[in-house]
């Protein structure tokens, strides 16, 4: 999926061929905020304006702009991968949870 970024927000980007427009929504918030444009520049401008308008609304209403997450994550993996993770975690002296958290942190750090 293509995305836009502005002021710490991510906007999805899609294209409607029948309508000839780009459109998207602000991701990671507790509201539905959409934007659209007929060109890439119009889409970017609309996304920026949508973020600005959303931030004003949040300030006026006393809302937290970004979605909050609990920190709990249900993960489904194959039994074979589960077994290999358990073995590696044991060898590292970690719980499976700590092993997976470390792996995720390493991957996220490599991307950012």
């Amino acid at each position: 999926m293509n995305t836009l970024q502005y002021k710490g927000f991510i906007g999805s980007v899609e294209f409607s061929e029948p309508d000839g427009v780009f459109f998207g929504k602000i991701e990671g918030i507790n509201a539905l905020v959409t934007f659209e444009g007929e060109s890439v520049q119009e889409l970017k401008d609309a996304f920026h304006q949508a973020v600005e308008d959303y931030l004003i609304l949040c300030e006026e209403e006393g809302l937290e702009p970004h979605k909050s997450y609990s920190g709990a994550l249900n993960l489904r993996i194959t039994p074979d991968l589960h077994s290999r993770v358990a073995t590696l975690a044991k060898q590292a002296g970690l719980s499976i949870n700590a092993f997976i958290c470390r792996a995720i942190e390493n991957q996220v750090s490599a991307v950012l």
Side-chain angles (χ1 to χ4, degrees), residues 75-111:
L75 178 67
R76 290 176 182 80
I77 58 176
T78 65
D80 179 59
L81 182 57
H82 193 167
S83 175
R84 290 186 288 154
V85 167
T87 299
L88 291 170
K90 184 59 98 177
Q91 290 172 347
L94 300 169
S95 67
I96 291 173
N97 189 74
F99 183 85
I100 291 172
C101 284
R102 184 177 287 176
I104 291 170
E105 286 171 356
N106 289 339
Q107 183 63 36
V108 169
S109 295
V111 172

Side-chain angles (χ1 to χ4, degrees), residues 39-56:
S39 69
V40 172
Q41 190 59 53
E42 279 185 25
L43 182 73
K44 289 168 105 175
D45 292 343
F47 171 56
H48 291 189
Q49 190 60 55
V51 169
E52 295 294 345
D53 292 345
Y54 176 67
L55 287 172
I56 290 168

Side-chain angles (χ1 to χ4, degrees), residues 12-81:
S12 61
V13 176
E14 297 189 44
F15 180 70
S16 171
E17 190 170 349
D19 299 319
V21 297
F22 295 98
F23 66 96
K25 68 178 184 173
I26 301 175
E27 302 289 340
I29 62 174
N30 290 319
L32 177 60
V33 179
T34 62
F35 51 92
E36 68 177 53
E38 292 185 5
S39 69
V40 172
Q41 190 59 53
E42 279 185 25
L43 182 73
K44 289 168 105 175
D45 292 343
F47 171 56
H48 291 189
Q49 190 60 55
V51 169
E52 295 294 345
D53 292 345
Y54 176 67
L55 287 172
I56 290 168
L57 174 70
C58 287
E59 186 174 330
E60 290 174 352
E61 300 291 323
L63 302 172
E64 172 61 39
H66 292 278
K67 183 176 183 176
S68 63
Y69 293 90
S70 68
L73 176 67
N74 292 322
L75 178 67
R76 290 176 182 80
I77 58 176
T78 65
D80 179 59
L81 182 57

